[in-house]
Amino acid sequence: MSIPTEPNGAAADNLELAQPVAKVVVAHALTGHSHSLGQSYMKAENPHTRGPSPIDFDGLSFPSIGARERREDTEESRAARIQKISGAVRTILECIGEDPNREGLLKTPERYAKALMFFSKGYEESVTHLMNKALFQEDHDEMVIVKNIDVFSLCEHHMVPFTGKIHIGYIPQNGKVVGLSKIARLAEMFSRRLQVQERLTKQVAIALQELLSPQGVAVVMEASHFCMVMRGVQKPGSQTITSSMFGCFRDNAKTREEFLSLIRRSGI
């Protein structure tokens, strides 16, 4: 199924995305909302309007309904957006008992606004543009793994960081492979949003499964959550490990164990 045409008339990189996974699984994985209708990678009746799902037709908006507006910001609207965030940060400073007019904090609201826009830049990116001209045919049907990819994200519950590493593997089918750097960029795109680790892990796996229709996809992520370190239970050193597997990695114990043993190995 072809990705729909962009509003400006240009084709969205002519990517062909498979649908090997049940719609309800895709919907929950990409949005985090079990009631979603799951319209990711599906052509809307009108690509210029939003459907009832929080996922926009071109993948921009999962899980945010404002991603298209943000991506299409002009210089003026981007400046207004930063100014609005700055005003909110100034209010926060006042509410916690600080003086936003003192020397050290005068430019903090604007600095934080710009930093937050960077931390959440994944909302401005889409899978189709990310994978532009990066799908290839190669005579390879063995495991491909990119491991120890550094990931930085913001917990959507407290908006504090969680950081760690993600390991991504797949086994090509019919010689269809993706550029290695794009695998890391895919993890970067999904992590640069307000997230929970479980959804982030599955989003990466689902996206690769949709893009390549491989024999299988495996994703494992390990991270430290500052909401558990700086507040709450205050347990430094604790790690959260999540996994998402499809195809032969889920169905075949030997294939799964090979992947897990390879990501555990140190060095080259």
Side-chain angles (χ1 to χ4, degrees):
M1 177 174 63
S2 298
I3 288 296
T5 302
E6 290 287 277
N8 63 9
D13 304 327
N14 296 319
L15 285 178
E16 296 291 330
L17 301 185
Q19 286 287 350
V21 190
K23 290 181 182 180
V24 65
V25 177
V26 175
H28 181 71
L30 295 180
T31 68
H33 302 291
S34 58
H35 61 268
S36 165
L37 297 184
Q39 292 182 334
S40 65
Y41 310 122
M42 300 179 190
K43 185 172 183 178
E45 291 183 5
N46 181 351
H48 300 282
T49 59
R50 184 178 305 282
S53 169
I55 311 171
D56 204 46
F57 79 95
D58 57 5
L60 274 175
S61 294
F62 46 91
S64 165
I65 61 173
R68 172 166 293 285
E69 179 182 349
R70 174 172 168 179
R71 183 182 182 182
E72 295 176 352
D73 270 348
T74 62
E75 289 187 13
E76 293 77 14
S77 59
R78 175 58 61 101
R81 187 182 295 272
I82 291 175
Q83 186 61 36
K84 187 175 181 179
I85 299 173
S86 299
V89 175
R90 183 181 175 87
T91 300
I92 291 173
L93 291 173
E94 293 171 347
C95 289
I96 65 173
E98 260 294 355
D99 175 12
N101 294 313
R102 70 177 177 85
E103 183 181 8
L105 295 177
L106 279 175
K107 294 186 177 181
T108 296
E110 183 180 359
R111 290 192 193 104
Y112 183 79
K114 291 179 178 179
L116 188 60
M117 291 293 284
F118 178 81
F119 297 155
S120 60
K121 65 187 179 72
Y123 288 123
E124 301 177 28
E125 301 170 342
S126 73
V127 174
T128 54
H129 287 81
L130 186 73
M131 295 295 174
N132 182 28
K133 299 178 181 177
L135 302 182
F136 309 101
Q137 288 294 131
E138 288 292 338
D139 183 19
H140 186 81
D141 60 359
E142 298 291 337
M143 203 173 295
V144 178
I145 298 175
V146 181
K147 68 177 188 176
N148 294 329
I149 303 169
D150 290 315
V151 171
F152 306 90
S153 193
L154 290 177
C155 164
E156 67 179 34
H157 300 142
H158 301 96
M159 287 186 68
V160 293
F162 66 93
T163 66
K165 294 184 183 295
I166 193 167
H167 318 285
I168 304 170
Y170 73 97
I171 298 180
Q173 184 159 252
N174 300 323
K176 192 174 184 180
V177 301
V178 63
L180 296 178
S181 68
K182 299 298 185 180
I183 295 177
R185 290 183 184 276
L186 193 66
E188 171 79 359
M189 184 191 79
F190 284 118
S191 66
R192 292 297 186 177
R193 304 175 177 191
L194 300 186
Q195 279 285 14
V196 295
Q197 184 175 330
E198 298 89 337
R199 185 172 67 234
L200 170 55
T201 306
K202 184 155 283 189
Q203 282 180 333
V204 174
I206 288 282
L208 270 181
Q209 184 74 21
E210 289 284 292
L211 283 164
L212 301 175
S213 191
Q215 297 180 53
V217 171
V219 179
V220 172
M221 182 175 175
E222 46 194 322
S224 175
H225 291 248
F226 280 48
C227 59
M228 290 180 59
V229 174
M230 297 177 64
R231 57 162 299 285
V233 295
Q234 301 180 64
K235 296 299 180 185
S238 63
Q239 280 196 324
T240 300
I241 300 175
T242 50
S243 68
S244 181
M245 301 194 184
F246 293 100
C248 59
F249 289 99
R250 179 186 285 266
D251 300 334
N252 190 309
K254 289 185 177 180
T255 303
R256 183 167 59 250
E257 181 54 39
E258 180 184 354
F259 170 76
L260 294 174
S261 66
L262 287 172
I263 66 174
R264 287 193 293 261
R265 287 177 57 182
S266 60
I268 298 178

